[in-house]
Amino acid sequence: MSTLADNICAIASRIDSAARAAGRDPASVQLLAVSKTKPASAIREAYAAGLRDVGENYLQEALTKQQALSDLPLIWHFIGPIQSNKTKAIAEHFDWVHSVDRLKIAQRLSEQRPANMAPLNICLQVNVSGEASKSGCAPAELPALAKAVSALPGLRLRGLMAIPEPTEERSEQEAAFATLHQLQQQLELGLDTLSMGMSHDLEAAVAQGATWVRIGTALFGARDYGQP
Ligand SMILES: *Cc1c(COP(=O)(O)O)cnc(C)c1O
């Protein structure tokens, strides 16, 4: 069985090779540790091994872990679907949100961001795989959404996020990530962030400009949804 430290090394080496192959500085790619379904103790271990950024999908689960880990200076990222009634707690308890895909949610996050906190870092989630995926705004809606979100005072629009339809075909993986990169550049808003790439497709994402790769399985092992 591999330890968490071994897994971090293996991921760092995958990022390193992919970045070098693409002529990129490996340091321009950051690792977001996706810890959904994993216990707070796993995050504590990841912190001890040097990780600082943690991604969670479910609000209640995240809040429980944040409480258990309040002694650590972790940076918390919300990466799951967002319901309106969850925006207040998300605005109060996270540093980043990667999964904003409509204006109403962005407006609520902005209004509910406490005045004594820095603006909430935002990525707009885009549906780059057409009908196959339910989450994310349509590429055609993105320019208007990005413009409106960039004007909200409680938020800082940083970039785009996508979860393309899973495929083992490297060229298809790269095509989806290239689309997201292109959309980001077409916005001409000076955005510095592309949140794309997971355990199975991080090489393709890094090749196409990812600045955050969101890694769960390759870091913490397979998730067991059967556990209570
Ligand atoms: C679960 C999840 C990940 C991590 O996926 P792995 O395949 O386990 O690396 C990344 N991003 C989002 C939005 C997720 O929900």
Side-chain angles (χ1 to χ4, degrees):
M1 239 181 84
S2 55
T3 68
L4 186 63
D6 293 336
N7 292 346
I8 292 172
C9 273
I11 293 162
S13 132
R14 287 174 64 190
I15 292 174
D16 203 80
S17 317
R20 285 175 201 285
R24 298 185 59 199
D25 177 2
S28 65
V29 185
Q30 291 186 272
L31 173 57
L32 178 59
V34 175
S35 46
K36 59 176 179 248
T37 79
K38 300 296 176 184
S41 57
I43 301 174
R44 189 173 288 282
E45 203 186 328
Y47 176 86
L51 299 189
R52 294 292 175 270
D53 289 273
V54 181
E56 287 279 347
N57 294 62
Y58 309 106
L59 178 64
Q60 204 48 56
E61 179 187 340
L63 294 178
T64 304
K65 290 181 210 174
Q66 286 180 355
Q67 228 166 25
L69 298 165
S70 59
D71 56 315
L72 303 182
L74 292 163
I75 299 166
W76 292 90
H77 299 240
F78 193 83
I79 63 172
I82 307 171
Q83 298 158 280
S84 303
N85 63 351
K86 303 282 165 62
T87 54
K88 184 163 187 291
I90 292 171
E92 290 172 350
H93 294 280
F94 287 82
D95 303 290
W96 283 76
V97 180
H98 293 233
S99 44
V100 172
D101 63 1
R102 53 195 202 277
L103 185 56
K104 181 186 162 199
I105 295 294
Q107 286 167 332
R108 291 176 63 91
L109 289 170
S110 177
E111 281 161 21
Q112 293 167 335
R113 182 68 168 172
N116 64 345
M117 294 176 82
L120 185 58
N121 293 296
I122 298 293
C123 293
L124 298 176
Q125 184 174 351
V126 185
N127 179 355
V128 291
S129 303
E131 285 168 35
S133 153
K134 293 141 275 160
S135 298
C137 82
E141 297 165 356
L142 179 64
L145 177 62
K147 188 153 182 273
V149 170
S150 66
L152 294 172
L155 308 184
R156 180 168 170 214
L157 180 60
R158 297 296 298 269
L160 306 181
M161 181 273 236
I163 311 172
E165 189 183 4
T167 166
E168 292 306 316
E169 199 57 55
R170 171 75 182 247
S171 62
E172 289 173 18
Q173 295 172 355
E174 288 210 27
F177 295 135
T179 299
L180 195 71
H181 195 168
Q182 218 166 35
L183 290 168
Q184 183 213 39
Q185 293 190 318
Q186 285 165 0
L187 291 175
E188 296 184 336
L189 290 171
L191 302 179
D192 61 10
T193 299
L194 282 173
S195 169
M196 57 190 200
M198 315 197 330
S199 293
H200 70 285
D201 59 7
L202 78 84
E203 282 86 357
V206 169
Q208 295 299 331
T211 62
W212 283 112
V213 289
R214 308 178 312 269
I215 307 297
T217 310
L219 188 59
F220 295 116
R223 288 178 288 274
D224 182 358
Y225 286 101
Q227 293 288 96

